[in-house]
């Protein structure tokens, strides 16, 4: 006889077989017994509660009713054929309808008998009915009526349902599997952690997550499994962090030198905000310790991250190192480059830009200057990561709008130097705390939580189509005052054709309203060649055009302080963080700025909430929290490609407390035992390795 294990292929499970196994693999990624054990219910039907017929409401989901079957009748012809029954309790009557398995039901149901029925009531012509209810003959001798109090509901698919693997079918498989499987499952958390955090064993948790007998047991099981899930993510992240600080020696930026000082005293065009000063202090501290800095700098749009980055780069140069700054798009890299050149004008520094469009010859010169150390600062795009780009002594990497770069890419940059460079990653998309802990748990976090003095909060307005003329009038007034205006259109892949049509119609409309020669319009969208985009962008930056019509390519980073109006067309189609990013393009100078959200009259509830949130607040963190509530972590900008968020059970929107507890627990463990080499942590070490094959204590993984 074959001895089955949890790794046995799913086709060997009783009731599966090759055909169903194929489907389970394709549709649900279930390959082994173990995979099925970890296919948890996504909700539970409460069968502890009974309803009376006169309590039914149209919006109810599945309910359970005790009553008598008083009549049963086959009606209709052919396709319209159905079985209809009357069901009655002391408060009223209900119609039950079946379209399938009619013959069998007609035989097996007993008129006059008492049943527990279970299903979703629907209101039709003032009368409630229930389609395909579950029918259980009521047996007063059986104590636990309805047997399962909380019935697990498993996700399934149309294809699986055709092969009887609907939620019920999967439940039957689980019934056959779980009680055997839990005897084979190995505990993944050591005793001391279970005890300290009052967690039940894995065996118990698995039993109760599939077949809970009450709400309390279910919650205890969920807490245990969520904790485990979050715990091992933190263990991996913090292991990396530990390695960074202990294993990777970093450059020591001993002194604040001439470049930094002269810049600070003579070039800086404004006093730094307290928040900027504080962050610089944190960076000074980090770069002094002898360990490699890995810092995430969060700051709302317009909070002045660039100058902090520049001063950090000057610090690096003053200490004999080179620095580079990487931006996600060509436009941004270009903008940083021209901004930096202006700021450091007169300092004895050499700075260059490298991107995909840098000509070959120029590229070769840059490579040379980098390798022989003549070049101090390099600004660029992804092109910086390429292997051909080598530095003489790279001491600092700044990554702007970093949520687009993964851990892997960061690591690639480290390897560009014998001592890994300090890393400063900047993001203007405020990240809710739980997400930051999970996505960037291996980084230290600085926050610029203060806008430069004199900034006036942007006024935001929501208008429907009927307000368009008012909007044009307002644009004219602002342009009259010498200000500039953005008009942004959505351009989303799925509806690209239609969007392009809207964009073109919008441009036509605008050229009519704002004719040459008095008005000039720049147009930028993602379909244009980079060169043209750049050209148009630059015209707007230099103030040669008053209106910039664009798709979301201008979303991040672009800085034109004279622009005071941001108009967003079809605003309801943008996500919250995107709207906030776009709004951040204005309000960057001293003038009062405005954001006008144009939308159609038809708005979904979510759409309404997004727009009203924008009108209500300018606070990026508040907006990020709302965004997280609305969309869930998987859809937050930039997190999609991060495997870290493939959470089975834990939910970063609601499980903050468990996450914090798990993280604290991991911190504590590493403080005591950084390499997990004591016997009591052996299990942790093994589980970590099992969950992350190839993980190593010598490199970041
Ligand atoms: P972000 O954090 O969005 O990258 P930037 O660094 O582009 O913001 O700064 C936005 C604008 O604010 C720039 O025009 C910059 O020169 C200006 N700025 C930055 N710091 C200060 C400050 N302390 N006082 C006044 N203006 C500042
Ligand atoms: Mg910026």
């Amino acid at each position: 006889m074959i001895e089955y294990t949890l790794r046995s292929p799913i086709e060997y499970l009783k009731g599966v077989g090759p055909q169903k196994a194929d489907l389970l693999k394709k549709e649900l990624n279930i390959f082994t017994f173990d995979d099925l054990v970890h296919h948890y219910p996504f909700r539970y039907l409460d069968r502890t509660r009974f309803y009376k017929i006169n309590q039914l409401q149209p919006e109810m989901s599945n309910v359970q009713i005790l009553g008598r079957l008083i009549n049963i009748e086959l009606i209709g012809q052919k396709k319209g054929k159905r079985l209809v029954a009357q069901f009655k309790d002391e408060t009223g009557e209900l119609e039950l309808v079946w379209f399938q398995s009619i013959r069998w039901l007609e035989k097996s149901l007993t008129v006059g008998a008492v049943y527990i029925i279970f299903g979703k009531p629907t209101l039709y012509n003032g009368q409630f009915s229930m389609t395909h209810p579950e029918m259980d003959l009521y047996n007063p001798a059986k104590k636990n009526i309805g047997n399962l109090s909380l019935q697990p509901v498993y996700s399934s698919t149309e294809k699986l349902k055709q092969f009887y693997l609907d939620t019920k079918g999967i439940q039957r498989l689980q019934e056959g599997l779980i009680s055997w499987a839990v005897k084979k499952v190995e505990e993944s958390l050591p005793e001391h952690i279970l005890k300290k955090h009052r967690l039940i064993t894995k065996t118990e948790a698995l039993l109760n997550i599939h077949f809970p007998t009450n709400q309390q047991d279910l919650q205890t099981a969920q807490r245990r499994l969520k904790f485990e899930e979050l715990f091992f993510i933190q263990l991996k992240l913090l292991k990396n962090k530990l390695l960074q600080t202990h294993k990777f020696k970093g450059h020591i930026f001993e002194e604040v030198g001439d470049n930094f000082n002269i810049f600070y005293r003579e070039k800086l065009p404004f006093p730094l905000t307290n928040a900027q000063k504080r962050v610089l202090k944190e960076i000074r501290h980090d770069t002094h310790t002898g360990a490699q800095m890995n810092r995430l700098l969060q700051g709302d749009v317009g909070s002045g991250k660039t100058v902090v980055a520049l001063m950090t780069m000057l610090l690096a140069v003053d200490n004999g190192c080179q620095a580079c700054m990487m931006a996600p798009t060509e436009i941004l890299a270009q903008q940083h480059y021209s901004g930096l050149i202006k700021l450091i004008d007169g300092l004895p520094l050499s700075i260059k830009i490298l991107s995909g469009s840098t000509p070959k010859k120029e590229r070769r010169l840059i490579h040379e200057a980098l390798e022989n150390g003549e070049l101090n600062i390099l600004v660029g795009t992804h092109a910086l990561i390429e292997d051909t780009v080598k530095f003489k002594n790279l001491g600092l990497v700044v990554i702007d709008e970093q949520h687009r770069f993964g851990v892997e890419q960061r690591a690639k940059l480290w390897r560009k130097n014998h001592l890994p460079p300090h890393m400063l990653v900047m993001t203007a998309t405020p990240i809710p705390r739980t997400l930051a802990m999970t996505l960037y748990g291996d980084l230290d976090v600085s926050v610029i939580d203060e806008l430069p003095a004199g900034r006036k909060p942007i006024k935001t307005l929501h208008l429907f189509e009927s307000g368009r003329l008012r909007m044009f009038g307002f644009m004219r007034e602002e342009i009259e005052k010498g200000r500039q205006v953005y008009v942004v259109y959505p351009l989303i892949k799925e509806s690209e054709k239609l969007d392009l049509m809207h964009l073109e119609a919008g441009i036509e409309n605008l050229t009519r309203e704002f004719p040459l020669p008095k008005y000039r319009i720049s147009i930028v969208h993602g379909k244009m060649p980079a060169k043209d985009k750049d050209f148009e962008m630059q015209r707007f930056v230099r103030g040669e055009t008053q209106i910039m019509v664009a798709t979301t390519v201008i979303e991040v980073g672009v800085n034109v302080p004279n622009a005071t109006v941001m108009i967003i067309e079809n605003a309801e189609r943008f996500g919250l963080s995107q709207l906030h990013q776009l709004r951040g393009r204005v309000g960057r100078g001293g003038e009062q700025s405005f954001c006008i959200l144009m939308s159609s009259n038809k708005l979904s509830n979510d759409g309404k909430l997004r727009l009203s949130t924008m009108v209500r607040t300018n606070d990026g963190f508040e907006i990020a929290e709302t965004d997280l509530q609305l969309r869930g972590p998987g859809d937050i900008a930039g997190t999609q490609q991060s495997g870290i968020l493939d959470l089975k059970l834990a939910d970063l929107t609601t499980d903050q407390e468990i996450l914090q507890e798990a993280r604290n627990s991991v911190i504590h463990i590493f403080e005591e035992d950084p390499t997990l080499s004591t016997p009591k942590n052996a299990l942790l070490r093994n589980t970590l390795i099992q969950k992350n094959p190839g993980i190593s204590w010598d490199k970041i993984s």
Side-chain angles (χ1 to χ4, degrees), residues 311-428:
M311 293 177 75
T312 311
M313 292 198 283
L314 295 179
L315 191 63
V317 174
D318 279 342
N319 286 275
C321 291
Q322 292 165 302
C324 71
M325 183 168 189
M326 190 157 81
T329 66
E330 186 118 12
I331 291 181
L332 276 174
Q334 185 61 50
Q335 180 157 316
H336 275 314
Y337 177 65
S338 27
L340 292 179
I341 282 188
K342 254 188 244 144
L343 281 167
I344 62 171
D345 184 39
L347 291 178
L349 284 177
S350 107
I351 174 170
K352 282 270 188 296
I353 179 166
L354 180 71
S355 73
S357 66
T358 309
K360 254 210 172 111
K361 212 167 142 197
E362 170 75 5
R363 186 178 291 254
R364 217 179 28 245
L365 290 176
I366 291 177
H367 286 175
E368 270 175 34
L370 277 179
E371 286 184 52
N372 66 28
E374 275 167 30
L375 192 55
N376 303 112
I377 297 176
L378 182 64
V379 179
T381 56
H382 268 86
L384 296 189
I385 300 186
E386 281 165 26
D387 292 333
T388 47
V389 181
K390 298 194 185 82
F391 293 80
K392 178 157 190 237
N393 189 19
L394 181 62
L396 170 72
V397 175
V398 178
I399 303 181
D400 194 14
E401 311 300 348
Q402 84 95 42
H403 51 272
R404 291 160 204 234
F405 297 102
V407 177
E408 219 358 82
Q409 282 166 307
R410 263 191 265 147
K412 229 174 158 171
L413 279 159
W414 300 7
R415 293 180 209 123
K416 287 198 179 285
N417 220 56
H418 57 281
L419 271 186
H422 296 301
M423 306 288 290
L424 180 66
V425 285
M426 310 197 290
T427 174

Side-chain angles (χ1 to χ4, degrees), residues 233-284:
I233 292 174
Q234 292 299 321
L235 200 66
K236 183 176 167 199
L237 285 170
L238 291 168
K239 182 220 92 178
N240 282 348
K241 190 163 160 28
L242 210 78
L243 267 180
Q244 279 161 16
T245 37
H246 291 285
K247 185 151 179 112
F248 294 108
K249 296 265 170 294
H251 301 268
I252 298 181
F253 295 166
E254 199 68 63
E255 55 182 315
V256 177
D258 284 350
N259 285 309
F260 189 100
N261 280 327
I262 295 173
F263 176 79
Y264 186 66
R265 276 194 240 114
E266 296 169 21
K267 309 269 174 208
L268 191 62
F270 38 67
L272 292 178
T273 63
N274 287 328
Q276 285 170 321
K277 284 187 197 157
R278 188 187 63 234
V279 171
L280 274 170
K281 240 188 223 149
E282 286 165 350
I283 292 171
R284 281 274 291 141

Side-chain angles (χ1 to χ4, degrees), residues 269-273 276 299-307 336 400-401 428 452-453 455 557 559 561 585 588:
F270 38 67
L272 292 178
T273 63
Q276 285 170 321
D300 215 339
V301 276
S303 60
K305 294 182 292 295
T306 316
V307 76
H336 275 314
D400 194 14
E401 311 300 348
R455 285 284 163 76
N559 188 26
R585 295 309 106 214
R588 301 173 81 84

Side-chain angles (χ1 to χ4, degrees), residues 14-135:
K14 202 172 158 235
V16 179
Q19 195 179 33
K20 287 184 182 174
D22 248 18
L23 278 171
L24 284 169
K25 287 174 201 172
K26 277 204 198 98
E27 302 282 305
L28 296 177
N29 262 325
I30 294 174
F31 287 82
T32 63
F33 287 17
D34 198 51
D35 292 338
L36 185 58
V37 172
H38 291 97
H39 183 61
Y40 304 136
F42 69 96
R43 67 189 173 95
Y44 301 82
L45 298 174
D46 187 355
R47 299 206 60 169
T48 51
R49 189 162 171 194
F50 282 86
Y51 288 84
K52 298 288 177 205
I53 290 172
N54 70 355
Q55 292 174 322
L56 296 182
Q57 300 288 336
E59 68 275 11
M60 279 175 167
S61 60
N62 292 300
V63 294
Q64 179 168 243
I65 308 169
L66 181 72
R68 194 177 297 276
L69 199 66
I70 50 175
N71 180 37
I72 191 165
E73 198 180 354
L74 201 59
I75 59 175
Q77 293 291 320
K78 289 185 180 159
K79 286 221 164 123
K81 207 165 174 179
R82 59 198 185 274
L83 190 66
V84 177
Q86 297 308 122
F87 185 76
K88 189 178 155 135
D89 70 4
E90 67 275 21
T91 70
E93 238 180 84
L94 183 70
E95 195 171 78
L96 311 180
V97 188
W98 291 270
F99 298 95
Q100 279 154 21
S101 318
I102 296 178
R103 265 174 213 284
W104 179 79
L105 278 160
E106 199 187 6
K107 267 192 233 141
S108 57
L109 292 174
T110 318
V111 173
V114 175
Y115 282 89
I116 295 166
I117 67 166
F118 186 72
K120 180 174 167 40
T122 41
L123 189 62
Y124 185 71
N125 275 345
Q127 227 232 313
F128 277 104
S129 65
M130 206 178 264
T131 311
H132 284 261
E134 281 176 35
M135 307 291 291

